[in-house]
Amino acid sequence: MVAIEEQDTADGPPVHVAIIMDGNGRWALARGLPRLAGHERGAEAVRRAVQACRETGIDILTLYAFSSENWKRPPAEIDDLMGLLRIYLRREIADLDSRGVRLRFIGSRNRLAPDIIGLIEESEAKTAANTGLMLVIALNYGARAEITRAAQRLAEDVAAGTLSPAAIDEEALAARMETAGIPDPDLLIRTSGEKRLSNFLLWQSAYTELVFLDICWPDFSKDYLEAAIDEYHRRDRRFGASRG
Ligand code: FPP
């Protein structure tokens, strides 16, 4: 008998899909448009992706919206990205709520503008009891920082005498991650043809199937989600066990 988190979602849709939404800038460049136009079309692709996941019966969708490394971009582009997130949250909270979507944010809230933090808190509180798609938005997120913080929490508990070093196991660390309680992704999609994880869900994606699509994020649609799921179903997930 395999543990719940190791069950192969053999025929049905993957339970948890994570997406690295890459290629907004290249999409715009190829059309002679400013990068902002690529991000705007990227935000529209987010709407399509959420809808497609709901229609496909996926339980959890995690989107990499802004990495902790993205602060290295020019301030004007950071403002554009935060502005789009503001618009998305303001416009979509009520709609997402009415469709039973539960929003959750992972990533550090330091450096985020107070009104964005307000929108995050409002959207999480408003949708907390929903039981439809869980939409996890990774914002100012970096996996190494997340793992480091979880290690700090373990150390704090040991120092406080509430945890013995011998009791530290994978579960103890996972319980201190921001994704505590969320099953690991079954399928991780990255658009734009780049083939790397870029500090996204490093701990959680130990056994995740990775699918790289040669399209830029603004072109993402349900057809591409289905193509990625078809590829996922062709994979033989063994979680380290031998074939057979
Ligand atoms: C990568 O494209 C994309 C991002 C850094 C941000 C993703 C943001 C959005 C899709 C818009 C807003 C988000 C939400 C949740 C509404 P890139 O700029 O790195 O592309 P490039 O590699 O081609 O330059």
Side-chain angles (χ1 to χ4, degrees), residues 21-26 35 39 42 65 70 73 81 85 88 217:
M21 310 180 286
D22 195 12
N24 292 351
R26 274 162 283 174
R35 290 178 66 80
H39 294 316
N70 284 154
R73 295 189 177 206
L81 284 167
L85 186 75
Y88 180 81
W217 175 248

Side-chain angles (χ1 to χ4, degrees), residues 13 16 23 26 36 39 119 128 139 141 169 190 200 210 212 215 219 227 240:
H16 182 175
R26 274 162 283 174
L36 173 59
H39 294 316
L119 283 167
L139 186 66
Y141 174 85
D169 55 12
R190 181 173 188 147
F200 187 47
L210 310 180
F212 300 100
I215 52 148
D219 289 327

Side-chain angles (χ1 to χ4, degrees), residues 20-29 35 38-47 63-67 70 73 77 80-89 92 105 135 137-139 190-192 194 196 216-218:
I20 301 177
M21 310 180 286
D22 195 12
N24 292 351
R26 274 162 283 174
W27 184 93
L29 186 70
R35 290 178 66 80
H39 294 316
E40 284 170 345
R41 295 293 289 263
E44 286 167 26
V46 167
R47 289 185 191 96
L63 298 175
Y64 205 4
F66 192 89
S67 80
N70 284 154
R73 295 189 177 206
E77 185 175 354
D80 286 343
L81 284 167
M82 292 296 165
L84 282 172
L85 186 75
R86 252 183 212 107
I87 293 170
Y88 180 81
L89 289 176
E92 310 279 321
F105 286 78
L135 174 59
I137 299 184
L139 186 66
R190 181 173 188 147
T191 57
S192 94
E194 307 283 354
R196 58 179 169 270
C216 289
W217 175 248

Side-chain angles (χ1 to χ4, degrees), residues 186-214:
D186 303 289
L187 167 64
L188 187 148
I189 299 168
R190 181 173 188 147
T191 57
S192 94
E194 307 283 354
K195 295 182 177 64
R196 58 179 169 270
L197 288 177
S198 299
N199 205 16
F200 187 47
L201 301 178
L202 298 184
W203 169 272
Q204 298 85 346
S205 60
Y207 288 104
T208 301
E209 295 298 332
L210 310 180
V211 171
F212 300 100
L213 297 177
D214 273 326

Side-chain angles (χ1 to χ4, degrees), residues 149-167:
R149 181 73 193 113
Q152 263 173 5
R153 290 188 179 125
L154 288 173
E156 283 160 9
D157 291 347
V158 169
T162 56
L163 179 71
S164 96

